[in-house]
Amino acid sequence: MASNAIRVAVCIGLLGACRERGASTPPPAADLVVDSDLDAYVANIRTVDNHTHVNSTASNDADADALPLDGLPQFEMPARLKPDNPDWVAGWRAVYGYSHADLSDAHLAELRQTRQRVAKERGDRFPEWVLDKVGTEVMLANRIAMGPGLAPPRFLWVSYVDALMLPLSTKAEAAVTPDRANLSPLEDKLLRRYMNDLQLTMLPGTLDEYLRAVVTATLERHRQGGCVAVKFEAAYLRALDFGEAPVDAAREIYARYVKGGEPPHADYKTLQDFLFRYIAHESGRLGMAVHIHSFEGAGGFYSAAGSDPLLLEPAFNDPALRGTNFVIVHGGGMYAQHAGAMAWKPNVYVDDSAMVLIYSPAKVAGVLRDWLLQHPQKVLFGSDADALGPDIGWEIAAWNGTATGRRALAAALTTMIRNNEVTRERAREIATMVMRGNASKLYSLGLK
Ligand SMILES: [Zn+2]
């Protein structure tokens, strides 16, 4: 096996980029061992990217994110996401043919010209052109609405649904942290937009009417618009402990505060808990999976403790929700083992999005191996591609995240082969499942 393995320095990009960092860069913190055959095999799989924030080709792309990070008070990004991380060079090189190893002003000016030229040349075909560069067959797009350049079958919509859980005044909830003070008004705005889409100007007076005319009607509209999943970013706004709430209590709270006033926290939580489960149930009925953000960020006032996937266990164990498939997006981050534990449930999946951009490939490989030893049919690849700076568009994050996702997966499977945990043939099978097959089944994409 040793002769068949290559040692790969830890970096977010490909081997070439690591080599070119030169002797002046500090030595890598750890090594990955990657079987060269497996590495080549995984590198050639056309992926389904389970989680991205891809931009349309509209000039200001206002329909991108329900809770954009630039809506948060100033905080520092983790090192790998920073615009001056030299690992981005690998993405620039692969996507735009950037021929330099550094980030000097002159070279970046040249890069900006190339990016503008390519965007102009490709027009609305630009997003699809990127997918071909990255080796992505299908990209799931977390967006308020799709837009020019983002059409099925290559781009599939995942809509945001937290706003439907927040019909009452969010003033008191928002006052809890500066982050929430910034984000809550965005949810209020999104709910008004959803109502506007339904030609509604006022919230209905009763919960039952709200469920029918606003919640179900919006979910049906999204499904008709091509949504394959809905997304909760709830962890930015509250803990993920969606308890079981009696409908009578929810009805009473809704009716009491829908015309105004500030619901006490305990009351609003009860109503949100009820609505979360209602939305999850309806999404399952309509054939949409439920994606839930679970990670230790982002934001200076974010609650990592409130993002633990174990908090979701009561909802996952609700027999009424077994017709709904859930995906723990970002694999729970620091709680990856907790996320893996939830994969015992027949309807719970995990993805490695964001991890592939924020963690080292060696760390992602460790997480994947843990998951793959137990529930390989439940693990999905995701990049969390997003525009991260003026020179790092979603396309660069997609390339780097996908390269790391492939490399980390190949490393995890290499270890499993070496430990006689899987055969080489089974390792290839699992690689295809993670990079595309599991997602194809989950979303009924019918990919071969
Ligand atoms: Zn994301």
Side-chain angles (χ1 to χ4, degrees):
M1 187 61 62
S3 65
N4 212 3
I6 52 169
R7 297 197 72 82
V8 178
V10 168
C11 83
I12 206 164
L14 287 184
L15 194 57
C18 295
R19 230 187 255 128
E20 293 196 22
R21 288 161 133 207
S24 62
T25 49
D31 285 331
L32 279 184
V33 177
V34 184
D35 177 276
S36 55
D37 287 348
L38 203 53
D39 203 31
Y41 181 81
V42 178
N44 281 317
I45 300 172
R46 280 169 66 80
T47 70
V48 177
D49 189 335
N50 187 63
H51 180 78
T52 75
H53 302 272
V54 53
N55 287 113
S56 76
T57 55
S59 54
N60 65 349
D61 194 21
D63 290 338
D65 203 342
L67 299 180
L69 293 185
D70 49 19
L72 295 177
Q74 181 80 39
F75 68 98
E76 209 168 331
M77 283 287 199
R80 282 179 179 274
L81 294 183
K82 288 185 178 171
D84 61 355
N85 172 9
D87 290 339
W88 297 121
V89 168
W92 293 334
R93 182 167 297 175
V95 178
Y96 293 113
Y98 187 76
S99 58
H100 314 288
D102 61 75
L103 288 74
S104 73
D105 287 348
H107 294 157
L108 287 180
E110 190 187 306
L111 172 74
R112 276 166 215 153
Q113 277 183 0
T114 308
R115 288 186 71 207
Q116 276 171 13
R117 177 180 52 77
V118 172
K120 203 170 156 201
E121 276 169 15
R122 302 286 160 181
D124 285 348
R125 307 300 297 254
F126 173 76
E128 204 178 324
W129 174 82
V130 172
L131 294 201
D132 290 336
K133 287 264 173 197
V134 178
T136 305
E137 181 156 349
V138 179
M139 180 172 269
L140 271 63
N142 273 238
R143 296 181 53 85
I144 292 173
M146 295 299 257
L150 304 178
R154 302 294 295 277
F155 293 92
L156 300 178
W157 187 22
V158 178
S159 71
Y160 292 102
V161 290
D162 298 277
L164 297 171
M165 195 172 62
L166 301 164
L168 308 181
S169 168
T170 54
K171 221 161 142 193
E173 302 288 303
V176 176
T177 72
D179 281 9
R180 291 177 192 179
N182 277 263
L183 296 176
S184 292
L186 300 176
E187 296 292 5
D188 298 343
K189 198 172 139 207
L190 185 55
L191 181 58
R192 284 197 297 278
R193 172 169 174 165
Y194 286 163
M195 290 176 54
N196 196 44
D197 289 340
L198 299 164
Q199 272 99 47
L200 293 174
T201 50
M202 264 176 70
L203 283 166
T206 67
L207 177 66
D208 293 74
E209 195 48 21
Y210 174 69
L211 297 177
R212 188 192 67 77
V214 179
V215 181
T216 294
T218 298
L219 294 172
E220 284 175 345
R221 220 184 129 261
H222 290 178
R223 183 57 171 160
Q224 279 154 17
C227 257
V228 295
V230 299
K231 165 89 180 296
F232 279 100
E233 300 183 295
Y236 285 94
L237 304 166
R238 54 159 287 169
L240 296 179
D241 57 340
F242 300 106
E244 200 178 341
V247 62
D248 286 344
R251 276 185 183 130
E252 215 243 313
I253 295 159
Y254 179 91
R256 194 176 337 141
Y257 295 104
V258 69
K259 299 276 183 255
E262 294 306 314
H265 173 72
D267 282 355
Y268 209 166
K269 180 181 183 301
T270 299
L271 179 63
Q272 289 172 26
D273 289 359
F274 176 87
L275 288 169
F276 172 86
R277 293 193 187 203
Y278 180 86
I279 293 164
H281 186 269
E282 285 293 89
S283 300
R285 178 181 71 79
L286 294 165
M288 298 185 287
V290 173
H291 287 193
I292 304 171
H293 169 100
S294 173
F295 200 74
E296 53 268 33
F301 295 90
Y302 182 91
S303 171
S307 307
D308 188 337
L310 291 186
L311 295 173
L312 292 160
E313 189 164 37
F316 292 157
N317 279 345
D318 184 342
L321 296 180
R322 282 292 157 99
T324 302
N325 288 312
F326 294 92
V327 183
I328 300 171
V329 170
H330 318 315
M334 63 179 285
Y335 300 110
Q337 283 188 306
H338 293 185
M342 294 300 95
W344 278 82
K345 327 281 180 198
N347 54 337
V348 177
Y349 296 73
V350 294
D351 83 26
D352 62 358
S353 61
M355 288 183 181
V356 296
L357 287 172
I358 296 170
Y359 295 165
S360 72
K363 180 165 170 169
V364 180
V367 167
L368 286 172
R369 179 170 166 251
D370 257 6
W371 289 347
L372 296 176
L373 279 170
Q374 298 185 64
H375 306 288
Q377 75 285 6
K378 296 298 197 65
V379 180
L380 311 170
F381 160 72
S383 67
D384 203 11
D386 196 359
L388 290 162
D391 299 317
I392 301 139
W394 68 269
E395 74 280 14
I396 302 303
W399 194 91
N400 276 37
T402 306
T404 298
R406 293 182 196 277
R407 174 63 40 82
L409 177 61
L413 291 166
T414 298
T415 307
M416 290 166 73
I417 294 173
R418 289 159 74 100
N419 291 351
N420 294 319
E421 292 158 352
V422 289
T423 62
R424 178 169 292 274
E425 195 191 346
R426 178 62 178 157
R428 286 185 170 213
E429 219 172 79
I430 291 175
T432 308
M433 285 159 61
V434 172
M435 296 311 279
R436 59 185 272 130
N438 292 341
S440 175
K441 271 194 194 152
L442 174 59
Y443 306 112
S444 305
L445 304 181
L447 303 180
K448 286 198 202 107

